[in-house]
């Protein structure tokens, strides 16, 4: 029984566009995941009878009705929508990725629907279930982690899935990646060429493919200079600039601090810059900075900065082309004998500011 502190619990949230209860309302009332509710309402025979009855009873009690998008697909028309699932809309990388995707799919008469997961796997599962329930023509996703069963389930249900920035885990799918390893190795090697031997690493959570590959590239560059990774100089898990600032400040406060920092993405580079600027304002030594992802105003920071650059728009365009190809296969009947998954790697280059 809901307490006074949660007066709205149990009430349908209502779809803001249609005023009707949502799939999530049905799932919550039935005590199942949104993906399971979607499978029941799509008459998936593999769902247990008891679960099917519970979900259908919840749908009836709430007055839930499938939306018109689903009806259109049953009549043989696509929804005309492509779902784009990203982890952090605050990061400019994802806006460029989205523009690249949209520029391609729009040419095929499709519109892009963007969903943000906040790097939360549970939010990602719900979002994918929602997109599948809305009968999107395809999904392009930047997965939050290695657990991708929900994406595999969507693909098994006939929804073309393309992954961007991170490879598929546990199922076959097209993907577009950045040369994370090569770019990180090149940037770290550039710091080594300038005489730095204590280079700190500030990176993404270990579960993130890009962070793991960029750490591997950093380690490979050190090994090439007969140096090993010093775990005391490695900080992982930062997703926002403020967290990276704290991590960089910790490294720079060590008794034997690094003379340079390599950051695995633009958010970490911005945070590390703030820590370096604060150290300089306090009369501390100069610290070299390198990072993955070029970003706007990087040339105006007033410090020597080496960045790994690549065309993030092209990452999106390539993902859009892969998805468009799969949709063309489905229309032509080629999906019955699908082509092997394709993997495209976008190259990187080094850009230097203030050097």
């Amino acid at each position: 029984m809901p307490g006074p502190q949660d007066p709205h619990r149990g009430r349908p949230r209502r779809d803001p566009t249609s005023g009707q209860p949502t799939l999530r309302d049905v799932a919550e009332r039935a005590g199942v995941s949104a993906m399971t509710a979607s499978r029941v309402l799509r008459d998936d025979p593999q769902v247990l009878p008891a679960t099917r009855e519970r979900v259908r009873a919840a749908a009836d009690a709430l007055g839930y009705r499938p939306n018109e998008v689903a009806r259109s697909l049953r009549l043989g028309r696509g929804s005309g929508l492509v779902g784009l699932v990203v982890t952090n809309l605050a990061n400019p990388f994802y806006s460029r990725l989205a523009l690249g995707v949209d520029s391609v799919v729009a040419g095929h008469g499709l519109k892009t629907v963007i969903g943000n997961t906040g790097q939360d796997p549970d939010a990602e599962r719900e979002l994918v279930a929602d997109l599948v329930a809305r009968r999107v023509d395809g999904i392009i996703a930047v997965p939050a982690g290695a657990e991708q069963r929900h994406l595999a389930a969507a693909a098994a249900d006939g929804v073309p899935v393309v992954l961007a920035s991170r490879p598929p885990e546990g199922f076959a799918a097209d993907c577009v990646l950045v040369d994370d390893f090569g770019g990180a190795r090149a940037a770290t090697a550039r710091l080594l060429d300038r005489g730095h031997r204590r280079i700190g690493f500030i990176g993404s959570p270990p579960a993130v493919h890009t962070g793991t590959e960029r750490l591997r590239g950093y380690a490979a560059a050190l090994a090439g200079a007969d140096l090993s990774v010093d775990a005391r100089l490695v900080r992982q898990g930062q997703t926002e600039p403020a967290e990276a600032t704290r991590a960089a400040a910790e490294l720079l406060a060590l008794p034997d601090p690094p003379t340079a920092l390599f950051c695995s993405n633009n958010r970490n580079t911005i945070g590390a810059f703030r820590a370096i600027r604060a150290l300089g304002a306090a009369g501390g030594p100069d610290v070299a900075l390198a990072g993955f992802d070029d970003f706007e105003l990087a040339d105006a920071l007033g410090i020597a900065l080496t960045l790994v650059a690549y065309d993030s728009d092209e990452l999106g365009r390539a993902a859009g082309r892969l998805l468009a190809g799969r949709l063309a296969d489905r229309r032509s009947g080629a999906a019955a004998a699908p082509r092997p998954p394709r993997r495209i790697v976008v190259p990187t280059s080094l850009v230097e500011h203030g050097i």
Side-chain angles (χ1 to χ4, degrees):
M1 182 174 181
Q5 74 281 6
D6 188 12
H8 301 291
R9 185 175 178 179
R11 297 182 188 175
R13 286 182 288 273
R14 304 282 171 181
D15 186 311
T17 59
S18 67
Q20 298 300 313
T22 68
L23 179 68
R24 292 184 186 180
D25 293 324
V26 174
E28 183 178 309
R29 187 180 183 99
V32 299
S33 70
M35 179 68 81
T36 297
S38 172
R39 290 172 60 198
V40 170
L41 298 174
R42 286 183 285 111
D43 296 320
D44 187 333
Q46 296 184 345
V47 179
L48 293 174
T51 302
R52 189 181 306 119
E53 290 177 11
R54 206 161 66 244
V55 171
R56 292 200 177 282
D60 289 343
L62 292 172
Y64 174 82
R65 296 291 180 271
N67 59 45
E68 288 302 309
V69 171
R71 182 173 179 273
S72 294
L73 191 66
R74 287 196 299 271
L75 294 174
R77 301 191 298 269
S79 67
L81 301 175
V82 168
L84 175 59
V85 179
V86 301
T87 60
N88 185 1
L89 279 174
N91 189 334
F93 162 77
Y94 292 110
S95 62
R96 303 306 315 181
L97 172 73
L99 287 171
V101 169
D102 196 63
S103 70
V104 170
V105 301
H108 295 269
L110 301 168
K111 295 185 183 300
T112 308
V113 178
I114 303 176
N116 183 62
T117 67
Q119 203 74 48
D120 181 349
D122 290 334
E124 180 179 304
R125 280 190 287 273
E126 285 198 12
L127 179 55
V128 169
D130 226 14
L131 291 170
V132 171
R134 292 174 183 274
R135 296 298 199 264
V136 293
D137 286 12
I139 294 174
I140 296 174
V142 180
E147 174 49 66
Q148 299 174 8
R149 283 182 293 182
H150 51 294
L151 292 167
D157 278 345
V159 180
V161 174
V162 175
L163 301 192
S165 188
R166 297 162 197 179
E169 299 283 349
F171 76 111
D174 295 328
C175 67
V176 186
L177 307 175
V178 175
D179 183 11
D180 299 300
F181 173 83
R185 180 175 58 183
T188 307
R190 184 63 56 87
L191 293 173
L192 290 164
D193 289 344
R194 294 200 177 104
H196 297 283
R197 289 298 178 268
R198 288 184 63 76
I199 302 173
F201 178 89
I202 299 178
S204 307
V208 176
H209 168 80
T210 53
T212 300
E213 283 297 287
R214 292 168 191 181
L215 177 60
R216 198 167 67 85
Y218 160 85
L222 293 180
D226 295 323
L227 298 171
S228 58
V229 174
D230 185 342
R232 294 170 298 179
L233 301 184
V234 174
R235 296 290 186 277
Q236 291 180 276
Q238 300 75 225
T239 60
E240 294 297 333
E243 297 169 340
T245 298
R246 288 191 293 270
E250 287 176 6
L251 292 178
L252 299 177
L254 290 172
D256 188 9
T259 61
L261 298 175
F262 172 71
C263 302
S264 74
N265 62 33
N266 53 5
R267 308 289 280 172
N268 281 329
T269 301
I270 291 169
F273 160 73
R274 291 171 179 162
I276 291 172
R277 182 180 59 182
L279 181 69
D286 291 335
V287 178
L289 182 60
F292 218 103
D293 304 327
D294 198 1
F295 55 93
E296 195 171 3
L297 295 180
D299 58 341
L301 295 182
I303 65 169
L305 182 59
T306 299
L307 294 175
V308 181
Y310 56 93
D311 189 345
S312 50
D313 287 57
E314 175 57 23
L315 191 75
R317 288 192 295 268
R321 288 192 293 267
L322 288 173
L323 182 61
R326 292 296 176 182
L327 293 174
D329 287 349
R330 188 167 67 180
R331 287 191 297 271
S332 67
R339 291 177 286 117
R342 296 182 61 193
R343 175 177 293 206
I344 297 173
V345 178
V346 174
T348 63
S349 61
L350 292 184
V351 174
E352 296 185 318
H353 302 293
I355 296 175

